[in-house]
C-alpha cells in the first residue's frame, strides 16, 4: 500500500525518536538565540545584587530576632570567625616552594621561592618582583639553553620568559623535593631539574720549603749564594658538597694531592783572615799544588798557599820590629828574602807543645836565614820554656 507524503509525515510525527530530535533541534535554536545575552544578564544580576541584599536584610534580621537566633550569632559568630582566621595568621606564609640553585663564581647560592636581590647576568636578569606566579628570573630572548630533566638533555631557544615558564613549555617542571639548578659556568646556560645536587671544588694550601746551608771554605765569611732556589709545595684538597632542597647535607673530601716543596740550597762563606788563639784545627784539606785550607773547630776556614817546616827560636826583647810594627805575640821575625814582611802564617809546634796560632812577618835578624823563624813571647820565662823547636808553618793567602 503506497502512502501519500501527507500520510508519511503524520506517521513520523508519532515516532518518539523523531519527536526527541525535533525537541533537541528547537532547544539548540533557542540556545543559539539567547546564549550571547548570558554575560550581559549575569553582569546585570551582579549589579542588582547589593540592592537586593539591602532590600531583604531587614526582613532577614527580623526573622532571626523572632526565632532567637540573633543573640547566639552575636556570641558565636566572632568566635567562629576568629577560629577560621587564627590558623591563617599563625601559618608561615610561603611565597613560593620552588628552590633555585645558582651556580657561578664559586659556591652555589640557593634561592627559596622568590629572589631577595636583583642580579643582571649574560643569560638572564633577576628582579625581586614577587607579585607573579613565577620567580622573576627572565631569560634573554633568542639564546640557546640546555635543559636536563629525567636524564635527558635538550637544547632549546629561550623566549622572553621566566625559567619556570620554559620548564613548563618542555613539561619539565619540578615535583616533590626537586630543585632547579642554573649553571652559568659554561658559555651556554644549563638548566637542570635535580633532587640532589653535588658541587665539587678544590682548595690549595702552600707548604714552606726547607733551606739547606752548605759551608764554602773559599768564600769570605758573611757572604752567601743561593745555589738552588727553593720552591713552596702545594696541597690540593678536592671536596664535594651535596645539596637537597637548597640546603647543604654533606661535605666529603674526595681527593688529596700533594706537590712536594723543593729545598733551597744556600752556600755560605766560612773563610776568615784569622781565628781566636783558643780555636784549634779540625782538619787540613790539600789541593794537588800543595795549597789548601784549614778547617777549625769553630767552623771558620783559612786558605794557605803552602806548608813548610821551620826551626823556631823564642825571644821576648825589643819594643818595635824592623817593619815598624810593635813587638807583640804574633809578630815574628823571618828571613825577608824567604817570607816578605806582612806575610801571614798559622803556626804550631810539631811536638804538640804549643799552638802559636796566627802570625805576621814583621821583624828580622842576622842569624835568621832560610826557613828559620823567631817567635816573640810576652815574658822571658815563656821564651825560655819554649826554647827552640821545629814548627809547622802554613803560609796563608
Amino acid at each position: 500500500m503506497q502512502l501519500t507524503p501527507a500520510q508519511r509525515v503524520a506517521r513520523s510525527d508519532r515516532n518518539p525518536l523523531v519527536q526527541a530530535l525535533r525537541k533537541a533541534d528547537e532547544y539548540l535554536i533557542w540556545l543559539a538565540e539567547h546564549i550571547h545575552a548570558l554575560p550581559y544578564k549575569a553582569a546585570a544580576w551582579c549589579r542588582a545584587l547589593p540592592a537586593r541584599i539591602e532590600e531583604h536584610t531587614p526582613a532577614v534580621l527580623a526573622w532571626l530576632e523572632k526565632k532567637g537566633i540573633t543573640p547566639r550569632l552575636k556570641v558565636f559568630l566572632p568566635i567562629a570567625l576568629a577560629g577560621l582566621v587564627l590558623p591563617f595568621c599563625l601559618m608561615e606564609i610561603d611565597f613560593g616552594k620552588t628552590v633555585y640553585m645558582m651556580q657561578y663564581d664559586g659556591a652555589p647560592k640557593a634561592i627559596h621561592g622568590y629572589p631577595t636581590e636583583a642580579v643582571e647576568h649574560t643569560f638572564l636578569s633577576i628582579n625581586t618582583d614577587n607579585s607573579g606566579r613565577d620567580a622573576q628570573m627572565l631569560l634573554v630572548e633568542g639564546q640557546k639553553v640546555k635543559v636536563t630533566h629525567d636524564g635527558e638533555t635538550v637544547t632549546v631557544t629561550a623566549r622572553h620568559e621566566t625559567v619556570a615558564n620554559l620548564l613548563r613549555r618542555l613539561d619539565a617542571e619540578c615535583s616533590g623535593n626537586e630543585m632547579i639548578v642554573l649553571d652559568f659556568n659554561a658559555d651556554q646556560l644549563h638548566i637542570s631539574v635535580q633532587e640532589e645536587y653535588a658541587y665539587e671544588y678544590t682548595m690549595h694550601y702552600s707548604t714552606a720549603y726547607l733551606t739547606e746551608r752548605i759551608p764554602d771554605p773559599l768564600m769570605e765569611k758573611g757572604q752567601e749564594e743561593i745555589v738552588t732556589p727553593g720552591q713552596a709545595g702545594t696541597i690540593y684538597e678536592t671536596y664535594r658538597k651535596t645539596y637537597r632542597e637548597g640546603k647543604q647535607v654533606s661535605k666529603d673530601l674526595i681527593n688529596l694531592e700533594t706537590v712536594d716543596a723543593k729545598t733551597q740550597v744556600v752556600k755560605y762563606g766560612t773563610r776568615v783572615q784569622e781565628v781566636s788563639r783558643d780555636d784549634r784545627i779540625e782538619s787540613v784539606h790539600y789541593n794537588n799544588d800543595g795549597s789548601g785550607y784549614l778547617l777549625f773547630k769553630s767552623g771558620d776556614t783559612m786558605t794557605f798557599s803552602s806548608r813548610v817546616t821551620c826551626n823556631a827560636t823564642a825571644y821576648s826583647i825589643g819594643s818595635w820590629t824592623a817593619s815598624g810594627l810593635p813587638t807583640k805575640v804574633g809578630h815574628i821575625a823571618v828571613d825577608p828574602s824567604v817570607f816578605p814582611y806582612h806575610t801571614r802564617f798559622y803556626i804550631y809546634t810539631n811536638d804538640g807543645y804549643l799552638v802559636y796560632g796566627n802570625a805576621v812577618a814583621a821583624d828580622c835578624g842576622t842569624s835568621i836565614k832560610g826557613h828559620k823563624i823567631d817567635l816573640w813571647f810576652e815574658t822571658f820565662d815563656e821564651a825560655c820554656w819554649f826554647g827552640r823547636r821545629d814548627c809547622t808553618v802554613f803560609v796563608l793567602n
Side-chain angles (χ1 to χ4, degrees), residues 112 124 142 160 171 175 222 276 285 297 310 345 349 354 366 391:
H112 297 266
L124 54 75
H160 185 66
D171 195 22
S175 61
S276 63
H285 298 263
K297 293 184 180 298
C310 295
F345 309 98
T349 60
L354 177 69
T366 56
C391 292

Side-chain angles (χ1 to χ4, degrees), residues 338-385:
V338 178
F339 302 114
Y341 287 140
H342 305 296
T343 300
R344 297 167 50 250
F345 309 98
Y346 189 83
I347 304 171
Y348 59 83
T349 60
N350 290 354
D351 58 8
Y353 171 77
L354 177 69
V355 176
Y356 191 77
N358 285 98
V360 176
D363 207 355
C364 63
T366 56
S367 61
I368 303 174
K369 300 296 180 182
H371 288 90
K372 289 185 177 181
I373 57 175
D374 283 357
L375 304 181
W376 194 90
F377 290 88
E378 289 185 351
T379 66
F380 180 75
D381 290 339
E382 288 177 318
C384 291
W385 289 334

Side-chain angles (χ1 to χ4, degrees), residues 50-102:
R52 293 186 179 183
I53 292 175
E54 186 177 358
E55 179 183 354
H56 294 91
T57 297
V60 173
L61 293 178
W63 182 82
L64 292 175
E65 189 72 30
K66 181 178 179 181
K67 297 296 184 180
I69 298 176
T70 302
R72 291 193 292 271
L73 287 177
K74 290 181 180 179
V75 175
F76 293 107
L77 186 58
I79 297 175
L81 291 175
L84 291 173
V85 173
L86 185 60
F88 290 98
C89 295
L90 298 177
M91 184 184 301
E92 183 178 354
I93 299 175
D94 186 5
F95 290 104
K97 296 181 179 179
T98 305
V99 177
Y100 295 86
M101 296 295 294
M102 310 286 292

Side-chain angles (χ1 to χ4, degrees), residues 99 174-180 194-196 243-246:
V99 177
C174 289
S175 61
N177 298 325
E178 290 181 323
M179 305 172 290
I180 299 177
Q194 305 179 37
E195 184 173 341
E196 182 177 278
Y243 295 83
R244 292 194 188 99
E245 299 182 11

Side-chain angles (χ1 to χ4, degrees), residues 216-224 268-273:
D216 186 345
L218 306 182
M219 182 185 290
E220 293 294 330
K221 189 173 184 178
Q223 295 182 357
E224 292 188 353
Y268 65 95
T270 60
R271 179 184 175 187
V272 295
Q273 297 298 313

Side-chain angles (χ1 to χ4, degrees), residues 12 32-33 53 64 71 78 204 222 251 264 270 281 308 327 386 389:
S12 64
E33 293 176 351
I53 292 175
L64 292 175
H204 64 274
K251 177 182 177 181
Q264 178 168 276
T270 60
I281 293 176
V308 294
T327 54
F386 182 86
R389 300 172 189 270

